[in-house]
C-alpha cells in the first residue's frame, strides 16, 4: 500500500468513528467557544493589573481545546489496540513505519486544520468582544504569529499524545500521563508569567510562548514552539520504536 492510500484509510477512520470525530470537532468548539465567552464577559484588565496580554487572553479556552487534541491523538493510536484492531490495520498496511506515519499525518493534519479555524475565531472574535480600547488588530505585534502558532501548538500536542499512546498502548495509561502533565503540573510549578527555571521548558509552557504578545522567560515564541516540537519528536520516536519492536 502506498502512503496516500494509507493516509486515506486513516482519514476514513477519523471521519467514521464518533469518538474521533467528536474529539476533532471539540478542538475548535472548546477553544473558540470558551475564548469568546471569556472575552465578552471579562474583556478588560483586572483593576490594578499591569500584565494584561490581549493576545493571550483571546485564547482563554485553549487549555480545553488542547485536552480534546490530546484525547484525539490518544484514541486514534491506542484505540488500535482495543480488541486486537491493530492486527487488522497491520494486515492492511504491513509496513509499520508507513502505517505509523500515515496515522500521525492524519491526526496532525486534521488537528492543524481544526486548530487554524479555532485560532482565527478566537482571535478575531475575542478582540472584537473585548471592551473598547483593549482589543488589537491582526496587524498588531504578535497577532498573526499567535494565529499560526495556536494551530501548530494544537497539532504538535495531538502528535505528542499519539506517540505516547503508541508507546503505552493504552488509552487509560496515556491519558494518566498526559492529563497531569498538561493540566496539573503547570499549576503546581507556578504561573507562566513568572518565567525562569526549568518550568519554562515544560511542553505547554514552552509552546504557549507563541501566544504571548510580549513573551517572557528564557524562551521566545518560536524557540518555545521548538521545545514543544522536541518533546513531540521524543514521544513520536518512542512510539515508533515500540510499534517496530514489540509484537502486535
Amino acid at each position: 500500500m502506498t502512503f496516500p492510500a494509507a493516509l486515506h484509510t486513516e482519514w476514513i477512520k477519523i471521519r467514521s468513528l464518533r469518538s474521533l470525530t467528536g474529539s476533532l470537532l471539540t478542538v475548535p468548539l472548546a477553544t473558540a467557544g470558551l475564548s469568546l465567552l471569556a472575552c465578552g464577559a471579562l474583556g478588560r484588565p483586572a483593576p490594578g493589573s499591569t500584565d494584561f496580554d490581549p493576545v493571550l487572553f483571546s485564547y482563554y479556552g485553549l487549555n480545553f481545546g488542547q485536552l480534546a487534541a490530546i484525547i484525539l491523538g490518544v484514541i486514534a493510536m491506542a484505540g488500535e489496540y482495543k480488541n486486537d484492531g491493530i492486527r487488522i490495520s497491520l494486515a492492511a498496511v504491513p509496513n509499520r513505519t508507513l502505517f505509523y506515519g500515515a496515522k500521525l499525518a492524519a491526526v496532525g493534519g486534521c488537528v492543524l486544520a481544526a486548530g487554524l479555524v479555532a485560532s482565527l475565531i478566537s482571535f478575531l472574535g475575542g478582540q472584537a468582544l473585548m471592551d473598547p480600547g483593549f482589543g488589537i488588530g491582526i496587524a498588531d505585534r504578535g497577532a498573526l504569529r499567535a494565529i499560526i502558532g495556536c494551530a501548530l501548538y494544537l497539532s504538535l500536542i495531538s502528535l505528542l499524545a499519539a506517540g505516547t499512546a503508541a508507546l503505552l498502548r493504552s488509552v487509560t495509561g496515556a491519558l494518566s500521563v498526559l492529563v497531569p502533565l498538561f493540566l496539573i503540573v503547570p499549576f503546581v510549578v507556578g504561573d507562566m508569567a513568572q518565567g525562569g527555571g526549568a518550568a519554562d521548558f515544560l511542553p505547554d509552557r514552552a509552546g504557549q510562548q507563541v501566544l504571548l504578545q510580549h513573551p517572557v522567560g528564557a524562551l521566545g515564541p518560536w524557540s518555545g514552539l521548538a521545545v514543544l516540537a522536541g518533546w513531540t519528536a521524543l514521544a513520536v520516536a518512542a512510539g515508533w520504536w515500540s510499534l517496530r519492536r514489540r509484537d502486535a
Side-chain angles (χ1 to χ4, degrees), residues 55 58-59 115-116 119-120 123-124 127 136-152 210-213 221-222 225:
V55 177
S58 63
Y59 293 99
L116 186 57
S119 185
L120 281 168
F123 180 81
L124 297 177
Q127 299 304 320
I136 64 173
I138 197 171
D140 288 318
R141 177 178 177 179
L144 187 58
R145 180 232 304 153
I147 291 172
I148 297 172
C150 177
L152 292 173
V210 77
L211 303 178
L212 295 172
Q213 187 175 28
W222 297 116
L225 206 62

Side-chain angles (χ1 to χ4, degrees), residues 8-247:
H8 181 67
T9 299
E10 295 303 325
W11 158 243
I12 291 175
K13 291 178 185 178
I14 294 176
R15 188 183 63 188
S16 303
L17 297 175
R18 285 184 293 179
S19 58
L20 297 180
T21 303
S23 298
L24 181 60
L25 292 175
T26 302
V27 172
L29 289 175
T31 302
L34 293 172
S35 295
L36 295 181
L37 285 174
C39 289
L42 308 167
R44 63 166 55 231
S49 174
T50 59
D51 59 354
F52 179 73
D53 189 321
V55 177
L56 181 63
F57 195 79
S58 63
Y59 293 99
Y60 187 92
L62 179 64
N63 284 341
F64 300 93
Q66 81 175 10
L67 179 59
I70 289 170
I71 292 172
L72 172 62
V74 167
I75 294 177
M77 191 67 241
E80 293 280 356
Y81 292 92
K82 185 177 180 180
N83 300 322
D84 286 332
I86 187 68
R87 296 180 184 275
I88 299 174
S89 294
L90 291 179
V93 188
N95 186 322
R96 297 190 180 195
T97 300
L98 178 62
F99 163 74
Y100 189 52
K103 175 75 73 177
L104 294 179
V107 169
C110 286
V111 176
L112 181 65
L116 186 57
V117 172
S119 185
L120 281 168
I121 295 174
S122 296
F123 180 81
L124 297 177
Q127 299 304 320
L129 290 172
M130 285 187 190
D131 290 356
F134 295 105
I136 64 173
I138 197 171
D140 288 318
R141 177 178 177 179
L144 187 58
R145 180 232 304 153
I147 291 172
I148 297 172
C150 177
L152 292 173
Y153 174 84
L154 288 169
S155 182
L156 287 170
I157 292 295
S158 69
L159 294 177
L160 189 156
T164 303
L167 175 65
L168 299 179
R169 299 187 169 197
S170 165
V171 172
T172 303
L175 290 178
S176 69
V177 171
L178 294 168
V179 171
L181 177 63
F182 284 92
L183 299 183
I184 298 177
V185 173
F187 293 100
V188 173
V189 298
D191 185 77
M192 180 168 61
Q194 293 176 354
D200 283 349
F201 294 86
L202 289 172
D204 64 327
R205 286 196 175 193
Q208 289 183 19
Q209 287 288 98
V210 77
L211 303 178
L212 295 172
Q213 187 175 28
H214 304 286
V216 296
L219 298 171
W222 297 116
S223 58
L225 206 62
V227 169
L228 172 58
W231 281 85
T232 300
L234 287 174
V236 166
W240 175 81
W241 174 87
S242 176
L243 183 64
R244 290 272 295 174
R245 295 293 183 179
R246 295 166 65 184
D247 183 45

